[in-house]
């Protein structure tokens, strides 16, 4: 399993890149990638049970092939699904299985970052920061902006705006490639929020609008909503009540649409 597939299926949650190197996968690995793609589609549609079934099938396939990297990528996907649906126990179990498989390998940083996000979900910012630092240390290059953005987020939660801004600016410099547009938007959103808190409202507005434009281009609804909410918060800081209400209403509309899209399809009436 290539790390590019992991980037698409696990880190972003959306297929906004290309499957570079997928043609070199073996038939078994191709089947594994398809199962993971199908699981991600079910996850995006809010169909957790079906996503879990597909991931269990994928994990059995990877184990039967003695594909340790494949097992790691599936376990990461399982952990991410469990974390996002609030099952932190299941997420912890998946990460605990992934860590010994990943240590010293190309996915070590990915597993460490997922562990950091799990600790953050538990509101343990200190532990999250320790794992995020491991993720940055183990990163082999292509996802460094993601590592820096998470550290910036954690620094902001700890009240260290200067460090958060420094990390986000560093992440921004690492996202000149078009394939990293999503992380560029993350860095811009983070910087916009920080500038707003610092009273640098014009710069904050510019950065948040840039983040919104990128997320719209990538068609990432949850991040579009986050951008609009950040713009609403900024408008509130500026005392522009009308703009604040407009941005918040737009964010609510986007989030409602996301939730509607995740509803199961209506069942046919029983004759």
């Amino acid at each position: 399993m290539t790390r590019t597939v992991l980037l698409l299926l696990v880190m972003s949650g959306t297929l906004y890149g290309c499957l570079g190197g997928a043609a070199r996968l073996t038939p078994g690995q191709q089947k594994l990638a398809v199962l993971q793609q199908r699981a991600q589609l079910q996850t995006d549609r809010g169909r957790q049970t079906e996503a879990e079934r597909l991931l269990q099938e994928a994990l059995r396939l990877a184990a039967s092939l003695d594909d340790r990297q494949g097992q790691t990528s599936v376990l990461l996907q399982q952990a991410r699904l469990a974390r996002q649906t609030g099952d932190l126990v299941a997420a912890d179990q998946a990460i605990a299985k992934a860590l010994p498989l990943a240590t010293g390998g190309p996915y070590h940083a990915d597993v460490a970052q997922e562990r950091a996000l799990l600790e953050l979900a538990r509101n343990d910012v200190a532990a999250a920061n320790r794992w995020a630092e491991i993720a940055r240390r183990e990163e082999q290059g292509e996802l460094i902006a993601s590592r820096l953005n998470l550290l910036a987020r954690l620094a902001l939660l700890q009240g260290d705006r200067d460090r958060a801004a420094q990390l986000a600016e560093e992440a921004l410099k690492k996202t000149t490639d078009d394939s990293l547009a999503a992380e560029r938007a993350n860095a811009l959103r983070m910087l916009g929020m920080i500038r707003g808190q610092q009273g640098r409202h014009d710069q904050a507005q510019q950065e948040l609008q840039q983040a919104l434009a990128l997320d719209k281009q990538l068609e990432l609804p949850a991040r579009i909503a986050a951008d609009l909410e950040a713009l609403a918060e900024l408008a509130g800081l500026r005392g522009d009540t009308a703009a604040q209400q407009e941005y918040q209403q737009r964010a609510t509309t986007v989030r409602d649409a996301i939730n509607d899209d995740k509803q199961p399809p209506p069942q046919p009436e029983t004759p």
Side-chain angles (χ1 to χ4, degrees):
M1 177 64 63
T2 66
R3 196 161 184 247
T4 304
V5 173
L6 178 66
L7 169 64
L8 298 173
L9 296 175
V10 181
M11 298 304 297
S12 72
T14 53
L15 301 177
Y16 61 82
C18 62
L19 292 177
R24 295 188 295 274
L25 296 179
T26 68
Q29 290 173 326
Q30 289 175 16
K31 182 179 179 181
L32 183 59
V34 169
L35 284 169
Q36 290 186 265
Q37 288 181 31
R38 289 173 58 196
Q40 187 60 54
L41 287 172
Q42 295 303 317
T43 298
D44 293 342
R45 293 169 181 167
R47 299 170 185 168
Q48 180 182 356
T49 301
E50 179 61 11
E52 290 173 345
R53 185 191 69 78
L54 289 164
L55 289 174
Q56 283 297 335
E57 184 179 347
L59 190 59
R60 286 193 296 271
L61 174 59
S64 73
L65 299 172
D66 192 31
D67 184 349
R68 292 171 64 86
Q69 292 187 8
Q71 291 176 68
T72 304
S73 72
V74 176
L75 287 165
L76 270 169
Q77 202 169 349
Q78 286 182 321
R80 183 175 183 271
L81 172 60
R83 172 175 57 80
Q84 291 184 335
T85 54
D87 191 347
L88 302 188
V89 173
D92 189 60
Q93 290 172 345
I95 284 297
K97 293 176 183 177
L99 267 171
L101 293 170
T103 300
Y107 293 165
H108 194 177
D110 303 301
V111 175
Q113 178 139 334
E114 183 56 41
R115 180 63 183 270
L117 291 169
L118 176 58
E119 297 296 351
L120 183 57
R122 291 171 171 152
N123 295 317
D124 191 339
V125 177
N129 197 74
R130 287 196 299 273
W131 282 102
E133 288 287 3
I134 292 173
R136 177 167 67 168
R137 186 187 70 214
E138 296 296 327
E139 176 53 48
Q140 298 181 3
E142 62 188 280
L143 296 180
I144 189 63
S146 175
R147 316 308 178 202
L148 293 167
N149 276 330
L150 177 56
L151 284 167
R153 177 182 173 190
L154 292 168
L156 192 59
L157 285 173
Q158 292 171 311
D160 193 343
R161 292 177 186 167
D162 291 340
R163 174 169 166 75
Q166 179 185 4
L167 288 163
E169 287 170 349
E170 189 177 348
L172 194 61
K173 294 175 183 177
K174 303 291 185 180
T175 58
T176 54
D177 191 280
D178 288 345
S179 66
L180 298 172
E183 287 304 329
R184 184 172 184 80
N186 280 342
L188 286 165
R189 185 187 315 107
M190 183 72 61
L191 285 169
M193 294 168 62
I194 295 168
R195 310 299 190 208
Q197 294 175 13
Q198 293 173 333
R200 299 160 65 179
H201 296 158
D202 289 344
Q203 186 175 0
Q205 181 79 16
Q206 181 181 5
E207 288 165 340
L208 290 174
Q209 288 290 357
Q210 289 175 8
L212 178 60
L214 283 170
D215 286 330
K216 282 187 172 184
Q217 179 182 338
L218 295 168
E219 298 183 345
L220 301 175
R223 297 186 183 190
I224 291 170
D227 297 330
L228 291 167
E229 287 163 351
L231 283 163
E233 182 178 346
L234 176 61
L237 292 172
R238 303 181 80 159
D240 190 340
T241 305
Q244 182 181 20
Q245 292 176 346
E246 179 190 349
Y247 283 126
Q248 190 57 59
Q249 181 57 51
R250 287 167 62 186
T252 300
T253 299
V254 172
R255 291 208 181 277
D256 286 347
I258 295 171
N259 292 331
D260 288 344
D261 188 54
K262 289 185 176 181
Q263 295 301 316
Q267 299 298 314
E269 295 183 5
T270 304

